[in-house]
Amino acid sequence: MATGRTHRPATRSRGIPEATVARLPLYLRALTALSERSVPTVSSEELAAAAGVNSAKLRKDFSYLGSYGTRGVGYDVEYLVYQISRELGLTQDWPVVIVGIGNLGAALANYGGFASRGFRIAALIDADPAMAGKPVAGIPVQHTDDLEKIIKGNGVSIGVIATPAGAAQQVCDRLVGAGVTSILNFAPTVLSVPDGVDVRKVDLSIELQILAFHEQRKAGEEALPDGLPASAAAARESTDKGPDGDVPAVMPA
Amino acid sequence: MATGRTHRPATRSRGIPEATVARLPLYLRALTALSERSVPTVSSEELAAAAGVNSAKLRKDFSYLGSYGTRGVGYDVEYLVYQISRELGLTQDWPVVIVGIGNLGAALANYGGFASRGFRIAALIDADPAMAGKPVAGIPVQHTDDLEKIIKGNGVSIGVIATPAGAAQQVCDRLVGAGVTSILNFAPTVLSVPDGVDVRKVDLSIELQILAFHEQRKAGEEALPDGLPASAAAARESTDKGPDGDVPAVMPA
DNA sequence: CGATGTGAAAAAATTCACAGCA
DNA sequence: TGCTGTGAATTTTTTCACATCG
């Protein structure tokens, strides 16, 4: 770790582990809540509980960012909010476009969590001409024909795909062609993108299936349906969470 | 906590790694697509490509399930679909309730991937009296007052929370109290649940924040405002997670 | 004192690479 | 011959435990 390039108490110079990056938003949210309640400082133990992870992990995660705490005291909430925000790149404004304004697209457009976190919905795009001009979440929907113009005109680099599966790849190609380099895909398809483009997926059916797996295990600790010697419900808790709260993982990342 | 382990000493087979479980739905989707095209067999290489992972990982994953392939040939698509479905507990019908029928709840209710994979929407529940009786996705919305009755009456063990953050914990408590043991949470809150209850979280803003992190890294290799150089993250990914594509789901109408 | 920060150990996940079977 | 299945090696992530410092 650390490319100790001298300068500063080092640490954090190279790559912050992906697993850590995935948890930073979690910490940020817990910190924001504390901030709103005007809580000045918080210990790793308290913050960890609020975020749903264990304190050792949290401290290790923070150690990749730098030494932002005070021994014997804890962390300054405001300072940490700033540091994590900066690390995540949320101190700048990210214009985002949402393509596919169906039920989900509308839900996303109305989702407050975006605007409050450095993301700004630059445009809503849909292929249905009937949708054009119609306001959703106060933003007029624009037609797919203008996709490239919209992307380039607003310097959009992050796109959200909420179209039906069949249209996803095509939309993806156009987004990438217009300059988008990060895509959040809600369509149930594997998107292929060129190098340099990030794709993250959110898949409801997958999450449900994982739940079903654990649920099945809870119910059948012994009564095994299908024969097959290999099948023996056993071991492993169903909870499988850290020492405290819950906090599964999301990402799949 | 650290209590409650014991149980069976892992009977050789049933110790499927969590990471593997999380990928089974991916394989299942790819296999289903092949099945619909009447493809009889598939090699680990081909299937891996379709699912967006590398073949070594896929073979290793399958090895936890058993030896379902044929050397020199590959895997029988239908057989594998069945085995994975069974492993995930999808050969049975899972009644699910969705609580919070706002934009997101409605989107989820309309999501086709539900019914097609062993999940059945047993009921839609909302706290707004005005919603009661109103059909969403063909299912009449019921009032929160009847939550317990609905859960118990339908033997529901999986609940989806799509309410505002403020109501999530309360709804969660009621679901758990009524017998739900698996929860898919879309509200941006950490839910606390008793042991034995699984919670998985899907947080749209978190996914975007992770994208922003990578996006920032791509763009800002040059100069960063605040002191500390922001990691140089050299080579490495272009496509975060898996070797390439992804597999999302959820989609509007 | 008390809580952070962090080496070191442990566990989990991924990748390698090849023996072995159809 | 071709591809699976898997032990072994490697890498990543988590957890431990304690020196350290405010």
Side-chain angles (χ1 to χ4, degrees):
Chain A
M1 46 203 47
T3 321
R5 213 32 191 76
T6 319
H7 296 319
R8 286 302 147 126
T11 315
R12 130 17 135 71
S13 272
R14 236 310 163 24
I16 296 178
E18 194 58 35
T20 293
V21 172
R23 281 188 294 268
L24 292 182
L26 236 61
Y27 302 142
L28 185 54
R29 185 166 64 207
L31 284 166
T32 301
L34 291 172
S35 173
E36 285 168 356
R37 287 196 287 131
S38 301
V39 175
T41 61
V42 63
S43 70
S44 63
E45 205 69 59
E46 299 167 324
L47 183 55
V53 302
N54 76 47
S55 62
K57 192 185 291 182
L58 177 145
R59 288 200 302 281
K60 174 65 83 178
D61 282 341
F62 285 179
S63 78
Y64 293 117
L65 308 183
S67 293
Y68 298 145
T70 303
R71 292 168 197 247
V73 179
Y75 302 91
D76 179 274
V77 174
E78 296 304 326
Y79 186 54
L80 203 45
V81 163
Y82 170 69
Q83 290 299 344
I84 294 180
S85 293
R86 187 169 59 77
E87 195 64 52
L88 284 171
L90 304 179
T91 50
Q92 61 184 285
D93 183 69
W94 293 103
V96 172
V97 295
I98 299 176
V99 184
I101 314 302
N103 276 298
L104 180 60
L108 295 175
N110 280 294
Y111 180 49
F114 288 171
S116 66
R117 274 271 161 297
F119 299 101
R120 176 171 52 81
I121 298 179
L124 300 182
I125 302 174
D126 197 277
D128 181 0
M131 290 288 292
K134 191 176 149 192
V136 170
I139 303 170
V141 175
Q142 294 180 267
H143 192 270
T144 314
D145 286 347
D146 302 320
L147 191 147
E148 285 76 10
K149 192 200 310 176
I150 297 169
I151 299 295
K152 291 174 179 165
N154 294 79
V156 174
S157 56
I158 299 178
V160 177
I161 296 178
T163 67
Q169 185 62 60
Q170 185 181 41
V171 165
C172 175
D173 292 342
R174 290 184 61 184
L175 286 174
V176 172
V180 167
T181 47
S182 285
I183 291 175
L184 181 54
N185 182 28
F186 285 87
T189 319
V190 173
L191 294 178
S192 61
V193 296
D195 260 28
V197 175
D198 272 324
V199 175
R200 289 192 70 82
K201 64 172 182 297
V202 174
D203 191 325
L204 165 68
S205 75
I206 283 183
E207 298 300 323
L208 268 186
Q209 286 172 52
I210 294 172
L211 278 181
F213 172 83
H214 292 299
E215 193 61 36
Q216 176 186 46
R217 180 154 305 189
K218 291 177 196 166
E221 202 73 274
E222 48 234 62
L224 292 182
D226 215 303
L228 258 180
S231 297
R236 279 248 105 203
E237 293 81 272
S238 42
T239 347
D240 73 52
K241 306 131 162 195
D244 30 55
D246 46 80
V247 159
V250 168
M251 119 166 223
Chain B
M1 29 98 70
T3 350
R5 37 236 47 236
T6 317
H7 291 316
R8 230 142 293 172
T11 316
R12 101 107 178 291
S13 46
R14 222 46 359 150
I16 302 180
E18 194 58 35
T20 293
V21 172
R23 282 188 293 268
L24 292 182
L26 244 68
Y27 302 142
L28 185 54
R29 176 186 300 156
L31 284 166
T32 301
L34 291 173
S35 174
E36 286 168 356
R37 287 197 286 131
S38 300
V39 175
T41 60
V42 64
S43 69
S44 62
E45 204 70 58
E46 299 167 324
L47 184 54
V53 303
N54 76 46
S55 64
K57 191 184 291 181
L58 177 145
R59 288 199 302 279
K60 173 66 86 178
D61 283 341
F62 285 179
S63 78
Y64 293 117
L65 308 183
S67 294
Y68 298 145
T70 303
R71 292 167 198 251
V73 180
Y75 302 91
D76 179 274
V77 174
E78 296 303 329
Y79 186 53
L80 204 45
V81 163
Y82 170 70
Q83 290 300 343
I84 294 180
S85 293
R86 188 171 57 78
E87 196 64 54
L88 285 171
L90 304 179
T91 50
Q92 60 184 286
D93 182 68
W94 294 103
V96 173
V97 296
I98 299 176
V99 184
I101 313 303
N103 277 297
L104 181 59
L108 296 175
N110 280 294
Y111 175 51
F114 256 144
S116 67
R117 273 275 161 290
F119 299 101
R120 176 171 51 80
I121 298 179
L124 301 181
I125 301 174
D126 198 279
D128 182 0
M131 289 288 290
K134 190 174 149 193
V136 170
I139 302 169
V141 176
Q142 293 180 268
H143 192 268
T144 315
D145 287 346
D146 303 319
L147 190 147
E148 285 76 10
K149 193 199 311 177
I150 298 169
I151 299 295
K152 291 174 180 168
N154 293 79
V156 174
S157 56
I158 299 179
V160 177
I161 296 178
T163 67
Q169 184 61 60
Q170 185 181 41
V171 166
C172 175
D173 292 342
R174 290 185 63 185
L175 287 175
V176 172
V180 166
T181 47
S182 285
I183 291 174
L184 182 53
N185 181 30
F186 283 87
T189 318
V190 172
L191 295 177
S192 61
V193 295
D195 260 28
V197 175
D198 272 325
V199 175
R200 288 195 70 83
K201 177 177 35 190
V202 175
D203 190 321
L204 312 178
S205 74
I206 283 183
E207 297 301 323
L208 267 189
Q209 287 172 52
I210 296 173
L211 275 182
F213 173 82
H214 292 298
E215 192 61 37
Q216 175 187 47
R217 190 143 299 194
K218 292 178 198 165
E221 210 75 89
E222 55 239 65
L224 281 200
D226 223 300
L228 299 143
S231 15
R236 257 258 109 177
E237 78 238 289
S238 318
T239 311
D240 59 338
K241 280 270 299 230
D244 99 297
D246 287 80
V247 178
V250 177
M251 55 174 253

